[in-house]
Structure formats: structure tokens, C-alpha cells
């Protein structure tokens, strides 16, 4: 039976602000401070735990760019279960701090304020640099100061971080691996010196990613557009993923859409969007007057994401959504998660610690480096039923969303076109990037109709996974109402589509290949039966 209840961070903040129960936030701060203060050799230390995800690299990945040096699983079926095991290890470390034995890891409920008109998407404890407690003012949920340097030894790397480096979020930059990067970052950050204003920028950016900013206002008499664009919609739609394989990762998701000619989204898709919203990819919206370029926060790259404390509160929400999908689809008991043998996303393409390339991934694949009783490595089977792991979730924004017919696709405009953007060479792009798809109407109006967040790594030139998946793609559904809006008084052939690939590199904002055969291609997924 579960004994720990993870509640939302917004609830924890509210209990503190009203004075009803300040102990939950106070003890959470103490627990985070406690593990951040531990020596880096302590397995419970924030340094050690944060480093499981990416840097500091270990094994072959420390020097060989054809391997990944972190333990994290992305773009495969282990994505939800590996991160569930990761959070369990992290929460246990928090509870090991004296006086914090009852602490649970709250989830930052990312959808709770959707449509409310507020700009408070992040609780204030995540955006305030200080927290007065026990004679200290540091806020361990705001940032983390590296206790030792992280040295990236991969060829041509720009992602080294010095000792005492502090993690940053949008709109700041944390790219300090070269002299040129240091100079740019110092100049950029000097223009964003006000934490209060920075919090407003961050809230606005997260809100614009969550709520979507597609400028399409069709006739009110028409059937509502089928939003497949906003992060909010992708979270909602992932709850209707037809099976665990598709739900779990973007690789399987895209294959299913092409094969079955239906729009589906995985949990990993909106997860990526939030990483990039926090990390530094600006999304223009009604709350921001001017774009902010050059932001490069740590959540925006796999190498350092785990060192931003918000990572664990974000992933607690991802795990909550995972559990909501399991409950909705009655797949909560051990052995109930189905992995389609041989399907894209079920084979480890890139070598990583303890997993060689070509390994077939199943529900019994070890989730390195996390162990349970007897120091036996956990598997996805072990991670299926959270009740057996000793925890459960309090009420969140998606509890009602798993009720029958809550999200009624039948009431939305039907999808009539899926544009496929591909031939995007990942090995040419350093770090994460966003594939932005635009439609130009017959009258010359340009509208962004697709946005895919690709969470990547900075060194891709030798990356075997990147080489095997050179052709990164984005599938952009267009519903009938949106298509009629774009056509104006013309035909669908009169609508012209284009693509821009936005990078996180301040010296190359857009990926623009010179050679024609390396330029992105836009065509259609065949929807005929």
C-alpha cells in the first residue's frame, strides 16, 4: 500500500502562503538544501543524483561521441519508466535528510492555470532567488551551484561548466564552454539583471508554449479547430494514446501516425516542449512585446537539464501524467504495459552506460543505475504500479481528464491534411532545436501552424544515434477549419508551406544548409485508405 502522497507544488505553495500549513514547503526547502550541501561523493548528494541524467559523462560516452555518456532514456519505450525510477531515487534522498523523513516530491502542475488568464504558471518558490529559513536566504529550488567543474572532453565540445557555475533559466544564458560563449553570455545576462522581470519573462514564455499562439480565428459558426499545436493540447491528447509503446516516446508516436494515418501524441512530446520553454526557446505571444534571443538555460539541453532543480518538479508532473494514462487505460498492474516487439522506439540505437547499441528494449530491461531491494536493478515491470513503490498522487489538473469522453475529438474539426517536414540533419545542429512550420495564405499572411521541440545534445557530429536518425521529422496536422481559414477564397494548393529550424546557438539562430539536398523537405502523409 502507498504511504507517500505527492501533491502539487501549487498546493504546497498555497498552504505556505495562507499559513494553513507551512511545514510542507519549509521541509521541502530543508531537504533540497540538505542534499545540495552533501559532498559530491555521497550517493544522496544533489550533484550525484543530477549527474545521472547526462553530464558528467561516464564510460565510453566520456570521450567517444558515438556513445551517450548519461543514463537517461529518451525517444524509446523506457522514457517514462526510467524517469519514474529516477524520481524514486531522488525522493528517497530528500527523505534521508534529518527532519525531512516525511517529505514527498511535489509535482509542478503545469496545466492547472491553463485558460485562466493568469501569468503565474510557476509557483513563486521557483522564481524567487531567496528563501528565508534557518538563518539562510538561498533558495535551492531556484538554482544549483556546481560544487565542482563539469568538463566535457568530447571533440569540439562547448558544454564545459566551471566550479561555482549557477544553473539558469530563460531569459538567461548558461553557455560558457568557450571564450566566445563566455563573452556573449556575460553581455546577454547583463541585460537581464532584474529577477522580478526575469520571472515575468519566464512565466510568459511557459504560458505561450503551453497555451499555443497560432493566430487562427475562424468564423465562430464553424466547428472548433483541432488544436494539435499547444503543449496543453499535446498533454491532453497523449492521454488517448492507443497503447503504451506509442504513449511512451516520440519515435513510436511518429511511426504510428504515418502507419495508421491518425494523429497521436506521446508523453515525451509535451515534455520536450516544457524543457525548451524553461531552457530558452522564445515563443512570441500576446504577453510579450519583443522577442528575446540568446537565452540558453540548462533545462534546454540533455547534458545539464538534471542540474536545474526544477527538472525534478517537472518530471514529477510527467510521472503524474503517466499514472493518469495508466488509470485511464487500466494498465496499472505489474505486467500490464505492452511493448510492441520490433516497433521503432524499442531498440537502443545509441550506446550508453551498460547498454550496447542494438539492444532490444522490453519491460525487463534493467533501468540503470537504479536498484530496489537487495540492490537488484529495477525494470519497467517494477515501475508499473506506483502503489507497490510506496507512493500515490494527490488531486491534479488531469484527474477529471481521464473520465470518459472528457476530451471529445468528435466535437472538433476533422484532420484533413498532415504535412511531413523531414530531411533535417541532426548531426549538423548543436543542441536542442525547434522545427517551426509556417503556412502562407493566398493574400500573403504567414501563420505558424506547427512547432516541434527536439530535445538534443550539444555534440552531435559523432553521435551514432544522431547519425542513424539523420532525418529528424515533424508531422503537422491541419484540420478542416484551419485549412479553410488558410485557403481564404482559394484552394488548398494556394497555401504555401515553409519551415525554419531554430537552434539554441547564439551564433547561428537558424539552421540554414547551403547544399540543396540537405535542406528540409515538406510533403504530405498519404491519408487515403
Amino acid at each position: 500500500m502507498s504511504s507517500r502522497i505527492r501533491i502539487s507544488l501549487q498546493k504546497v505553495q498555497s498552504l505556505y502562503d495562507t499559513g494553513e500549513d507551512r511545514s510542507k514547503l519549509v521541509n521541502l526547502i530543508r531537504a533540497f538544501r540538505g542534499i545540495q550541501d552533501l559532498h559530491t561523493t555521497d550517493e544522496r548528494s544533489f550533484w550525484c543524483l543530477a549527474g545521472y541524467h547526462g553530464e558528467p559523462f561516464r564510460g565510453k560516452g566520456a570521450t567517444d561521441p558515438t556513445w551517450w555518456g548519461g543514463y537517461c532514456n529518451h525517444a524509446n519505450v523506457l522514457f517514462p519508466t526510467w524517469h519514474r525510477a529516477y524520481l524514486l531515487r531522488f525522493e528517497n534522498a530528500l527523505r534521508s535528510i534529518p527532519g525531512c523523513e516525511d517529505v514527498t516530491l511535489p509535482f509542478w502542475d503545469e496545466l492547472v492555470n491553463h485558460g485562466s488568464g493568469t501569468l503565474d504558471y510557476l509557483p513563486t518558490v521557483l522564481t524567487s532567488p531567496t528563501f528565508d529559513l534557518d538563518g539562510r536566504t538561498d533558495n535551492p529550488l531556484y538554482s544549483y551551484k556546481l560544487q565542482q567543474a563539469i568538463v566535457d572532453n568530447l571533440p569540439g565540445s562547448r558544454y564545459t561548466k566551471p566550479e561555482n557555475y549557477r544553473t539558469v533559466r530563460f531569459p538567461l544564458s548558461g553557455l560558457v564552454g568557450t571564450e566566445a560563449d563566455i563573452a556573449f553570455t556575460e553581455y546577454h545576462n547583463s541585460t537581464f539583471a532584474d529577477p522580478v522581470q526575469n520571472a515575468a519573462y519566464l512565466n510568459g514564455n511557459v504560458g505561450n508554449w503551453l497555451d499555443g499562439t497560432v493566430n487562427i480565428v475562424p468564423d465562430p459558426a464553424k466547428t472548433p479547430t483541432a488544436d494539435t499545436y499547444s503543449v496543453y493540447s499535446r498533454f491532453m491528447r497523449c492521454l488517448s494514446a492507443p497503447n503504451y509503446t506509442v504513449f511512451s516516446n516520440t519515435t513510436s508516436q511518429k511511426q504510428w501516425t504515418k502507419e495508421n494515418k491518425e494523429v497521436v501524441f506521446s508523453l515525451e512530446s509535451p515534455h520536450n516542449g516544457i524543457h525548451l520553454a524553461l531552457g530558452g526557446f522564445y515563443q512570441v505571444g500576446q504577453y510579450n512585446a519583443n522577442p528575446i534571443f540568446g537565452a540558453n538555460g540548462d533545462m534546454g539541453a540533455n547534458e545539464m537539464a538534471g542540474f536545474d532543480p526544477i527538472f525534478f518538479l517537472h518530471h514529477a508532473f510527467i510521472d503524474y501524467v503517466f499514472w493518469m494514462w495508466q488509470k485511464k487505460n487500466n494498465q496499472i498492474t505489474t505486467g500490464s504495459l505492452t511493448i510492441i516487439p520490433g516497433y521503432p522506439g524499442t531498440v537502443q540505437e545509441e550506446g550508453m552506460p551498460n547498454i550496447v547499441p542494438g539492444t532490444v528494449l522490453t519491460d525487463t530491461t534493467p533501468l540503470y543505475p537504479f536498484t530496489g531491494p537487495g540492490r537488484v536493478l529495477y525494470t519497467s515491470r517494477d515501475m508499473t504500479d506506483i502503489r507497490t513503490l510506496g507512493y500515490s498522487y494527490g488531486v491534479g489538473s488531469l484527474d477529471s481528464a481521464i473520465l470518459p469522453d472528457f476530451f471529445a475529438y468528435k466535437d472538433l474539426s476533422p484532420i484533413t491534411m498532415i504535412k511531413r517536414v523531414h530531411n533535417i540533419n541532426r548531426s549538423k545542429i548543436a543542441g536542442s532545436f525547434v522545427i517551426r512550420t509556417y503556412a502562407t495564405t493566398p493574400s500573403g499572411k504567414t501563420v505558424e501552424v506547427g512547432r516541434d521541440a527536439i530535445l538534443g545534445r550539444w555534440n552531435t557530429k559523432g553521435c551514432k544515434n544522431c547519425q542513424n536518425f539523420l532525418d529528424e521529422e515533424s508531422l503537422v496536422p491541419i484540420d478542416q477549419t484551419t485549412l479553410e481559414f488558410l485557403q481564404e477564397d482559394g484552394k488548398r494548393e494556394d497555401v504555401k508551406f515553409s519551415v525554419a529550424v531554430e537552434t539554441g546557438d547564439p551564433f547561428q539562430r537558424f539552421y540554414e544548409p547551403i547544399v540543396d539536398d540537405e535542406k528540409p523537405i515538406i510533403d504530405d502523409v498519404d491519408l487515403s485508405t
Side-chain angles (χ1 to χ4, degrees), residues 140-361:
L141 302 185
Y142 180 75
S143 66
Y144 167 68
K145 183 169 69 173
L146 295 187
Q147 293 157 285
Q148 64 186 65
I150 291 178
V151 179
D152 191 340
N153 291 312
L154 295 175
S157 171
R158 295 167 56 188
Y159 222 65
T160 289
K161 304 278 186 174
E163 183 179 355
N164 295 322
Y165 166 86
R166 278 200 174 275
T167 58
V168 297
R169 301 171 192 152
F170 182 89
L172 300 176
S173 173
L175 196 58
V176 292
T178 68
E179 292 298 324
D181 288 334
I182 292 172
F184 174 85
T185 292
E186 288 180 350
Y187 170 77
H188 175 86
N189 289 353
S190 70
T191 64
F192 297 99
D194 182 357
V196 175
Q197 184 60 60
N198 289 348
Y201 284 135
L202 179 61
N203 270 295
N205 199 46
V206 169
N208 290 333
W209 273 87
L210 277 170
D211 295 343
T213 57
V214 178
N215 186 21
I216 296 175
V217 187
D219 184 337
K222 290 185 177 293
T223 305
T225 57
D227 176 15
T228 61
Y229 180 88
S230 69
V231 169
Y232 169 82
S233 174
R234 293 189 178 199
F235 270 125
M236 299 300 294
R237 286 174 173 270
C238 82
L239 294 174
S240 297
N243 54 65
Y244 173 75
T245 301
V246 172
F247 169 79
S248 66
N249 72 98
T250 53
T251 305
S252 302
Q253 162 206 317
K254 293 174 184 178
Q255 183 67 23
W256 185 274
T257 293
K258 290 183 291 186
E259 283 185 355
N260 295 276
K261 302 171 184 179
E262 64 172 318
V263 178
V264 295
F265 286 100
S266 66
L267 175 64
E268 191 177 21
S269 174
H271 151 273
N272 289 352
I274 295 299
H275 265 277
L276 269 58
L278 293 168
F281 284 83
Y282 181 83
Q283 184 56 39
V284 177
Q286 60 180 323
Y287 309 124
N288 304 84
N290 299 295
I292 298 172
F293 304 125
N296 211 299
D298 296 285
M299 277 289 282
N302 269 334
E303 287 94 335
M304 281 289 294
F307 283 93
D308 186 333
I310 202 173
F311 172 94
F312 297 96
L313 304 164
H314 165 52
H315 270 277
F317 180 70
I318 297 302
D319 190 61
Y320 161 76
V321 180
F322 180 18
W323 185 241
M324 290 298 102
W325 181 88
Q326 290 182 258
K327 291 174 68 175
K328 182 176 186 291
N329 293 276
N330 195 29
Q331 295 189 32
I332 62 176
T333 58
T334 301
S336 61
L337 298 180
T338 56
I339 295 178
I340 303 173
Y343 208 71
T346 65
V347 176
Q348 182 64 38
E349 298 291 345
E350 179 182 18
M352 56 189 296
N354 303 105
I355 303 181
V356 298
T359 298
V360 175
L361 305 176

Side-chain angles (χ1 to χ4, degrees), residues 63-175:
T63 56
D64 184 350
T66 66
W67 284 63
W68 169 242
Y71 287 112
C72 69
N73 281 270
H74 288 271
N76 68 43
V77 290
L78 302 186
F79 167 73
T81 52
W82 185 90
H83 285 86
R84 176 169 284 176
Y86 191 15
L87 294 186
L88 186 62
R89 169 72 71 85
F90 188 84
E91 186 176 65
N92 286 339
L94 292 175
R95 292 164 68 91
S96 75
I97 300 301
C100 301
E101 293 82 2
D102 293 330
V103 163
T104 56
L105 182 66
F107 60 97
W108 165 36
D109 196 335
E110 296 164 8
L111 305 186
V112 70
N113 286 330
H114 172 74
S116 67
T118 179
L119 292 184
D120 296 327
Y121 289 90
L122 289 86
T124 55
V125 72
L126 295 178
T127 59
S128 173
T130 61
F131 193 98
D132 292 321
L133 179 67
D134 299 335
R136 295 170 58 170
T137 60
D138 57 303
N139 180 359
L141 302 185
Y142 180 75
S143 66
Y144 167 68
K145 183 169 69 173
L146 295 187
Q147 293 157 285
Q148 64 186 65
I150 291 178
V151 179
D152 191 340
N153 291 312
L154 295 175
S157 171
R158 295 167 56 188
Y159 222 65
T160 289
K161 304 278 186 174
E163 183 179 355
N164 295 322
Y165 166 86
R166 278 200 174 275
T167 58
V168 297
R169 301 171 192 152
F170 182 89
L172 300 176
S173 173
L175 196 58

